Amino acid sequence: MSAYLNGEFLPLAEARISVLDRGFVFGDGVYELVPVYSKKPFRLDEHLRRLQGSLDNIRLANPHGVAEWRELILRLIDLQDFADQSLYIQVTRGTPDEGQSPRDHAFPKGVPPTVFMFAQPLVTATPEQKAVGVCAVTAADNRWLRCNIKAISLLANILLRQQAVDADCAETVMLRDGFLTEGAASNIFVVKDGVLMAPPPSNLMLTGITYDVVLELASAHGIPHEVRVISEAELRAADELWMTSSTKEVMAIVKLDAAPVGAGVPGPLAQRMDGLYQAFKQQVMRT
Ligand code: PMP
C-alpha cells in the first residue's frame, strides 16, 4: 500500500511523523475519506470543497489548490494495486519547530501543515448484507457544537460508535434535545408514509457527501422528500430508517434499540434508493 506524506510518495509502513505533530498530541487536524471506484474518485470536487470548509473552520491554510490536490490524489490512486479504494486524507497543524514550545495550545508559528494520505481496499456492503439490513442503538449526542467540521479528534464519535458495537449493532443514532442529528459515522434518513426525511445541515452534524447524493437522486427521480428537523417520536415511528456514508452507501436499519423498524426488513424505498445510487456510481465511473 502506497501513501503520501508531505510531498513524498512512499510505502505506508515507512511513513513517519514527529511525536510532536499537533495531530498526534492534540487531535488538531481535519480529514476526508474519498471512495474510489475502478480507480476513479467519486465526487472528488465535493470532498475537496468540504475539506476546504473544515480547514477554514479550524483556521488552517489549505496547503494545496484544488488542481494540486487532484494531481496528488490521482497519483496515489494510480500507485495502488487494487481498483476500489477508500482514500484517506489528513491535514494537521504540523509540528512546532525547535525553539517553539513543543506542546502549547496556541497555534505554532510559521510551520507547514502535515499532509498525509493513504488508500486501502474499499469494502462496501454486499447485496446479501443489504437484503438483511443492520441494527442500531440510540444515544444522546454528547459531542461538541461544531460537528460540521470533519475533525480528526473523534473520541466522542468513537465512544458513541462503540455502544453500537457492544450491542452487536452497526451504528449509534444520536439525538440532541429530542431531535435526530446523525449516526456516529453516518447520516440518518427517515421514511414515513412514502416521504423521505433528513435533518437539515447545521453545526450539529456533518453533511455527508452521500447525504447530498441521496437528496439529489430523490429530487431527480420524483421521490417526495423533506429536509427538516426530525423528532425522537418520528424517528421511533419510522417506516424505514437508513444510514448513509461513503463506505456504507445506503444501508437499511431494521432494528432500533431492539425494536423493529417498520416491518423489520429493508423497506422498498431503501431498495429503490440503493439501486439509484449504484446506477449513479456506474454512470460516474463511465464518464
Ligand atoms: N457523519 C459523520 C459523523 C461521519 O463520520 C460520516 C462519515 N464520514 C458521515 C456523516 C457521512 O459522510 P459521507 O457521506 O461523506 O461519508
Side-chain angles (χ1 to χ4, degrees):
M1 262 186 251
S2 298
Y4 170 88
L5 181 64
N6 296 334
E8 205 188 334
F9 291 90
L10 72 179
L12 179 60
E14 288 174 21
R16 296 279 179 275
I17 57 156
S18 163
V19 289
L20 294 179
D21 189 276
R22 302 270 303 190
F24 182 64
V25 173
F26 289 121
D28 183 1
V30 296
Y31 75 105
E32 275 299 318
L33 196 143
V34 184
V36 176
Y37 304 106
S38 302
K39 294 217 162 180
K40 288 207 170 162
F42 184 67
R43 293 243 148 173
L44 183 55
D45 290 348
E46 288 80 356
H47 280 281
L48 291 176
R49 211 172 300 137
R50 188 170 66 180
L51 177 64
Q52 183 68 56
S54 294
L55 289 167
D56 291 346
N57 269 307
I58 71 162
R59 299 166 58 191
L60 182 56
N62 194 334
H64 302 300
V66 169
E68 225 167 42
W69 273 117
R70 181 174 277 280
E71 199 183 310
L72 293 171
I73 288 166
L74 292 179
R75 245 179 98 186
L76 185 63
I77 290 172
D78 209 40
L79 284 171
Q80 315 299 335
D81 54 13
F82 42 91
D84 291 347
Q85 305 173 14
S86 164
L87 189 137
Y88 179 80
I89 306 169
Q90 174 171 318
V91 184
T92 78
R93 211 179 302 277
T95 306
D97 294 331
E98 276 177 44
Q100 296 193 46
S101 173
R103 186 185 174 281
D104 182 349
H105 286 59
F107 296 172
K109 291 211 170 68
V111 304
T114 300
V115 178
F116 168 57
M117 300 195 276
F118 78 104
Q120 57 186 340
L122 175 66
V123 183
T124 51
T126 61
E128 291 73 29
Q129 287 167 325
K130 283 185 185 153
V132 175
V134 295
C135 68
V137 297
T138 58
D141 192 341
N142 56 11
R143 300 173 302 164
W144 69 337
L145 297 174
R146 303 189 70 185
C147 301
N148 52 319
I149 303 173
K150 204 160 167 58
I152 59 169
S153 33
L154 284 169
L155 191 50
N157 300 64
I158 286 167
L159 292 172
L160 286 157
R161 168 57 82 83
Q162 191 62 30
Q163 294 184 30
V165 175
D166 291 346
D168 282 329
C169 284
E171 186 54 301
T172 300
V173 176
M174 295 183 282
L175 292 151
R176 194 190 283 269
D177 300 329
F179 293 96
L180 169 66
T181 54
E182 61 179 337
S186 64
N187 291 112
I188 304 293
F189 285 81
V190 172
V191 178
K192 186 68 180 177
D193 298 330
V195 180
L196 179 62
M197 290 178 280
S202 76
N203 61 312
L204 301 181
M205 64 173 243
L206 182 79
T207 307
I209 305 299
T210 322
Y211 167 102
D212 282 339
V213 173
V214 165
L215 288 175
E216 278 174 36
L217 290 171
S219 289
H221 295 272
I223 297 170
H225 58 282
E226 293 174 5
V227 175
R228 63 163 177 82
V229 291
I230 296 165
S231 70
E232 178 168 0
E234 288 177 306
L235 176 76
R236 296 199 187 277
D239 296 332
E240 298 186 29
L241 281 183
W242 313 343
M243 60 187 284
T244 68
S245 76
S246 293
T247 50
K248 292 283 189 274
E249 302 183 335
V250 178
M251 175 59 89
I253 296 172
V254 296
K255 241 191 221 178
L256 186 67
D257 292 334
V261 176
V265 291
L269 203 50
Q271 290 174 28
R272 179 163 177 220
M273 184 55 75
D274 180 49
L276 293 173
Y277 192 82
Q278 298 309 322
F280 183 73
K281 264 168 52 184
Q282 296 292 335
Q283 184 193 323
V284 169
M285 275 188 277
R286 279 194 300 270
T287 55

